[in-house]
């Protein structure tokens, strides 16, 4: 839970941890003499202070004034136990005029130290104000640093999940879109890639590691790189998915983790497609209006990571002239509408047919067509918590 910053107009909440009644009364008088309104509470032992902080009934204090000599703690023991990353500022109260002791207290983590018989109301008020403001600044800097670390982590994952296609054929154009789920703070496990091998065959993959977060995203990166390596190495196509299955089983951090995946290989003539599905929704051949349709799931295989000794039989498809192939993850079809219905593949096919129908051919601006599909899915969905990746391959031949 993120720390809640105090209201600037409200009195500062101060917890005095002091077992000596006379010293406690002196602190109360100092605050009364100073131009600072505080909500002062007192604990007479470290255990009582920890209980108050744990109960947090009246809200966490903004500042703790801590005596170093308590009945149940001596030296810096109490200071170390009361210091927390998102906790209040801690000012040390000491009866000893010992500069080294004060410096050591600051080194342990105290915001400042005060000598009891050398402090007055204005000095105490100023020290509390400064300590609270420094603590707030520390929290802001820490939050900014954490946000930058997350942004850097996401950027690294994104570069791995969303690569630059490796393609030399000027007659084939690749357009890709990726949108993280609306409830996510990190990238999920959606990944894709497109490469052309030395024989001129065009290979595409799209996959979805179940779950969300850095572990799933890292696994997605590993699978994508493995796929690219296997394809470019010229391995027998029938061995690509079994090898990736073995990699997933060895790399996953939980035995139930699996990945759905679709691969497509277009021969060098660009007239024939070989497709393999591992529990993944089928790609769509995008034409004009009713010519748009989803490919068959006749040979749908199980996801990677499920069972052992699995095979994924290919499905051969004849491609029309100037074909376009859309691969996508299930985030594009699983958005739930207000009626409770889910788009699914039939809904996506109808939506594609609608978007590709019009007086202006969509091929004049395929990127706008793909954006329109993404936007329509977004507006049709009441909520979407899954990532969406979509890759459109457009051939001019």
């Amino acid at each position: 839970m993120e720390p809640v910053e105090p209201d600037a107009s409200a009195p500062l909440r101060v917890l005095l941890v002091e077992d000596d009644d006379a010293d406690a009364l002196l602190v109360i008088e100092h605050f009364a003499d100073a131009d600072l309104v505080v909500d002062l509470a007192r604990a007479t032992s470290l255990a009582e202070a920890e209980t108050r902080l744990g109960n947090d009934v009246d809200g966490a204090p903004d500042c703790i004034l801590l005596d170093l000599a308590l009945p149940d703690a001596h030296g810096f023991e109490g200071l170390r136990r009361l210091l927390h990353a998102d906790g209040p500022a801690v000012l040390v109260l000491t009866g000893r005029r010992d500069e080294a002791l004060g410096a050591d207290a600051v080194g342990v983590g105290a915001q400042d130290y005060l000598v009891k018989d050398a402090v007055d109301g204005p000095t105490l008020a100023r020290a509390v104000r400064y300590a609270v403001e420094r603590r707030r600044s520390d929290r802001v800097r820490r939050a900014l640093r954490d946000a930058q670390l997350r942004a850097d982590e996401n950027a690294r994952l994104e570069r791995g999940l969303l690569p630059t296609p490796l393609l030399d054929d000027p007659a084939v154009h690749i357009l890709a879109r990726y949108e993280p789920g609306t409830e996510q703070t990190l990238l999920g496990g959606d990944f894709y890639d497109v490469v052309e091998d030395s024989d001129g065959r065009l290979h595409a993959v799209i996959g979805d590691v179940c779950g969300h977060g850095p572990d799933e995203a890292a696994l997605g990166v590993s699978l994508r790189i493995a796929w690219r390596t296997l394809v470019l190495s010229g391995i027998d196509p029938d061995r690509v998915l079994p090898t990736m299955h073995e990699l997933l089983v060895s790399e996953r951090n939980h035995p139930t983790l699996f990945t759905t995946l679709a691969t497509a290989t277009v021969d060098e003539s660009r007239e024939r497609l070989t497709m393999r599905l591992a529990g993944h929704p089928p790609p769509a051949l995008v034409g004009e209006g009713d010519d748009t349709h989803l490919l068959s799931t006749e040979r749908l295989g199980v996801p990677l990571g499920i069972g052992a000794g699995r095979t994924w039989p290919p499905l051969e498809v004849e491609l029309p002239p100037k074909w376009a192939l859309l691969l996508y993850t299930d985030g594009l079809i699983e958005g739930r509408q207000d009626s409770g219905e889910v788009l699914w593949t039939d809904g996506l096919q109808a939506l594609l047919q609608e978007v590709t129908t019009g007086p202006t051919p969509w091929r004049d601006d395929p990127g706008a067509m793909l954006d329109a599909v993404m936007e329509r899915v977004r507006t049709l969905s009441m909520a979407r918590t899954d990532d969406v990746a979509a890759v459109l391959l457009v051939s001019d031949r």
Side-chain angles (χ1 to χ4, degrees):
M1 180 179 296
E2 294 294 329
V4 178
E5 297 295 349
D7 184 350
S9 64
L12 291 177
R13 295 185 297 272
V14 177
L15 175 62
L16 173 63
V17 188
E18 173 64 72
D19 65 316
D20 188 284
D21 291 340
D23 287 343
L25 179 60
L26 188 61
V27 169
I28 294 172
E29 292 176 349
H30 285 331
F31 278 126
D33 292 340
D35 183 22
L36 179 65
V37 180
V38 299
D39 181 2
L40 184 65
R42 180 188 173 195
T44 59
S45 67
L46 180 62
E48 183 183 353
E50 290 179 316
T51 299
R52 281 180 172 272
L53 292 173
N55 290 339
D56 199 16
V57 175
D58 300 321
D62 303 307
C63 182
I64 297 175
L65 294 175
L66 174 66
D67 181 21
L68 288 181
L70 294 170
D72 55 349
H74 298 281
F76 296 134
E77 178 188 356
L79 175 59
R80 291 189 177 94
R81 285 167 59 179
L82 293 180
L83 286 172
H84 300 284
D86 292 321
V90 180
L91 284 173
V92 163
L93 290 173
T94 176
R96 298 163 54 188
R97 291 179 175 270
D98 187 338
E99 293 289 336
L101 180 67
D104 289 343
V106 173
V108 171
Q111 289 288 332
D112 205 345
Y113 75 98
L114 303 169
V115 178
K116 291 181 180 180
D117 61 1
V119 71
D120 57 16
T123 303
L124 178 60
R126 184 170 59 253
V128 169
R129 284 197 189 100
Y130 287 176
V132 170
E133 289 305 318
R134 283 195 298 269
R135 194 60 171 163
R136 292 179 188 175
S137 297
D138 289 344
R139 287 173 178 165
V140 170
R141 285 194 296 270
R142 187 165 59 251
L144 290 174
R145 184 180 67 250
D146 291 345
Q148 185 60 52
L149 289 174
R150 287 194 296 269
D152 291 344
E153 179 184 61
N154 282 348
R156 288 193 298 272
L157 290 173
E158 185 171 336
R159 286 194 295 271
L161 290 167
L162 315 179
T164 301
L166 183 60
L167 180 67
D168 292 327
D169 188 346
V172 178
H173 311 285
I174 310 297
L175 300 98
R177 301 291 185 268
Y178 176 86
E179 293 182 0
T182 55
E183 302 297 328
Q184 314 259 63
T185 57
L186 289 173
L187 290 172
D190 288 10
F191 62 92
Y192 65 81
D193 203 352
V194 181
V195 298
E196 184 179 359
D197 66 22
S198 58
D199 294 329
R201 290 173 298 184
L202 184 63
H203 305 267
V205 65
I206 195 160
D208 183 0
V209 180
C210 70
H212 309 286
D215 290 337
E216 289 78 7
L219 182 56
V221 172
S222 297
L223 291 173
R224 183 196 67 76
I225 294 174
W227 175 86
R228 176 178 280 210
T229 302
L230 291 168
V231 167
L232 293 180
S233 72
I235 189 175
D236 181 351
D238 290 335
R239 287 295 308 153
V240 172
L241 293 190
T243 303
M244 293 180 66
H245 167 84
E246 294 172 6
L247 173 67
L248 186 152
V249 170
S250 66
E251 293 291 329
R252 62 187 176 187
N253 60 2
H254 194 278
T256 62
L257 200 63
F258 64 88
T259 297
T260 69
L261 182 141
T263 66
T265 298
V266 181
D267 67 7
E268 58 275 16
S269 71
R270 303 294 185 256
E271 297 176 352
R272 192 168 187 83
L273 167 71
T274 301
M275 179 180 72
R276 287 178 171 84
L277 299 177
H280 202 84
L285 271 178
V286 183
E288 302 289 340
D290 291 343
D291 290 338
T292 297
H293 64 279
L294 269 66
L295 299 178
S296 172
T297 58
E298 174 188 349
R299 298 190 179 182
L300 178 66
V302 299
L304 304 185
I306 295 179
R310 300 291 187 177
T311 60
W312 289 267
L315 178 65
E316 304 290 337
V317 179
E318 295 290 336
L319 294 173
K322 294 189 175 182
W323 52 266
L325 184 70
L326 176 66
L327 298 93
Y328 54 92
T329 56
D330 56 11
L332 196 67
I333 59 174
E334 289 184 346
R336 190 170 297 278
Q337 305 174 45
D338 290 333
S339 63
E341 296 182 358
V342 179
L343 191 64
W344 291 127
T345 52
D346 290 344
L348 176 62
Q349 178 170 298
L351 188 154
L352 285 169
Q353 290 174 346
E354 178 183 342
V355 169
T356 56
T357 299
T360 303
W362 66 264
R363 294 179 68 97
D364 291 350
D365 191 350
M369 184 276 289
L370 185 55
D371 289 335
V373 171
M374 301 286 282
E375 177 61 24
R376 286 295 306 279
V377 170
R378 193 182 305 114
T379 57
L380 286 172
S381 301
M382 178 179 62
R384 192 187 74 232
T385 59
D386 202 0
D387 304 323
V388 176
V391 184
L392 181 66
L393 289 72
V394 182
S395 173
D396 292 337
R397 294 183 184 176

